[in-house]
Structures are given as structure tokens and as C-alpha cells.
Amino acid sequence: EHMYGLPAQSLRRVFNGVRVREPLAGWRRQIRSEYRRRLGIADEARVAIFVGHNFRRKGLARVLDAMALPEGRGWQLLVVGRGAIGYYQRYALQQRVSERVQFLGGRTDVAELYWASDACLLPTYNDPCSRTVLEALSLGVTCVTTAYDGSSECIRDDETGFVVESPEQVNMIAR
């Protein structure tokens, strides 16, 4: 607005576009069960998914912290993304949550993994508009992210997910 001298009413925000290959429409329940079986996860288990390549900036350590709290102890976590996982594997061990965390690496079947999950967690420290949250929302998965994520504006609090003010609000993430 200031840079180009345009009035605010002439500008509009456009979010990142996502193109998600919806896995076999109409087969969501079967895909969920099949993927959970492959991953060794019970159908009734509560499963969160974290998808990102920059684990530090995207707040993976805060997710592991949340899993160690009483509210987070009933959850399992799928971590999808390329990157050095050694530190986070050790951190999960230190937090005593490693038996509930699976590091899956880079995957081409992320849509199916979203469907195998109950919630998508991305407590990012900085993301102009995360594709992770947009993809998960487009597949009907509840999302938890921070106010530092531009895609948080797409979340309807307590309906399609929750927005916490900061990744440091680990208690809120766990709840």
C-alpha cells in the first residue's frame, strides 16, 4: 500500500494455492485403517502428524515437549519431512516420548498419512503461509499452528483447528 501508493481497498490477500491429490475419494476410512495397520498404530489411537523440512523453525521440539505433558501422553506422532533427525530422535528419547514417535522421512503419500491422523501440528516460529496447514485443512484434518503462520488465518478456531500465540505455549499445544 505504502510502496506503490495504492489505497488499502484496492489490495487483497491471496493465500498460497495447494494442489492435493486426494487419495481415492470415498475410501478415507479404509485408507486410515490400512495406513495405521502398516505403521503399527491401533485404529482407536490418537495420532498427530507433523509435516515440514525445517524441523527447528517449524517447532518440532515444541511438539515433542507437548507430548511429554499429561495432556499429550495419549498421542502418537508421525514426523514427515527430510532433514537431520538425529537431534530430534535424541530429544524424543530425553522427553521420554520416543516410543510414540515415528520419523518417516520424505514421503510421496502425505495425503494418506494426513488421513491416518487425527490432527496436524505445526507450531512454527515463522512461516508466511504454510502449505502443511493448507493441505491438511483441504483434506479435512484438524490443525494446530501459531499466530506466526500466515495460514492460521484459514483456521476457524475450535471448528477446523486452533491457533496458539507462540510455539512456546506448549501447554496450549498439548491441550
Side-chain angles (χ1 to χ4, degrees):
E1 159 182 350
H2 301 296
M3 181 180 279
Y4 297 105
L6 297 171
Q9 62 269 25
S10 297
L11 303 174
R12 67 185 171 122
R13 184 172 310 162
V14 178
F15 289 101
N16 285 345
V18 293
R19 185 177 201 156
V20 178
R21 175 193 54 79
E22 188 168 318
L24 302 171
W27 294 85
R28 183 174 187 155
R29 208 172 290 126
Q30 291 87 342
I31 289 170
R32 176 184 176 90
S33 289
E34 173 61 21
Y35 266 74
R36 283 180 173 228
R37 186 189 61 72
R38 287 185 203 172
L39 295 166
I41 298 171
D43 281 338
E44 66 279 357
R46 292 187 295 173
V47 178
I49 187 168
F50 174 98
V51 179
H53 299 303
N54 186 333
F55 298 147
R56 183 172 175 256
R57 183 170 61 93
K58 303 291 181 157
L60 178 55
R62 302 299 70 85
V63 173
L64 298 173
D65 292 340
M67 290 183 67
L69 295 176
E71 299 90 340
R73 288 198 186 122
W75 286 82
Q76 294 188 41
L77 178 67
L78 305 176
V79 178
V80 178
R82 294 180 306 274
I85 61 169
Y87 169 83
Y88 294 96
Q89 288 174 317
R90 288 188 301 277
Y91 193 72
L93 203 61
Q94 177 186 340
Q95 292 297 82
R96 294 188 164 98
V97 299
S98 61
E99 71 284 349
R100 296 184 285 126
V101 179
Q102 293 188 45
F103 291 90
L104 303 177
R107 301 285 291 245
T108 58
D109 57 350
V110 179
E112 288 85 351
L113 291 167
Y114 281 127
W115 273 5
S117 305
D118 299 297
C120 175
L121 304 180
L122 194 75
T124 184
Y125 285 91
N126 177 21
D127 203 322
C129 188
S130 73
R131 286 182 45 109
T132 295
V133 168
L134 297 177
E135 288 172 352
L137 287 172
S138 75
L139 289 167
V141 178
T142 299
C143 292
V144 177
T145 192
T146 65
Y148 300 124
D149 180 354
S151 66
S152 66
E153 294 182 25
C154 296
I155 294 175
R156 290 186 302 275
D157 242 8
D158 207 21
E159 188 179 327
T160 59
F162 301 92
V163 179
V164 297
E165 286 302 312
S166 161
E168 301 304 321
Q169 292 181 309
V170 175
N171 289 330
M172 294 295 292
I173 295 166
R175 274 188 244 135

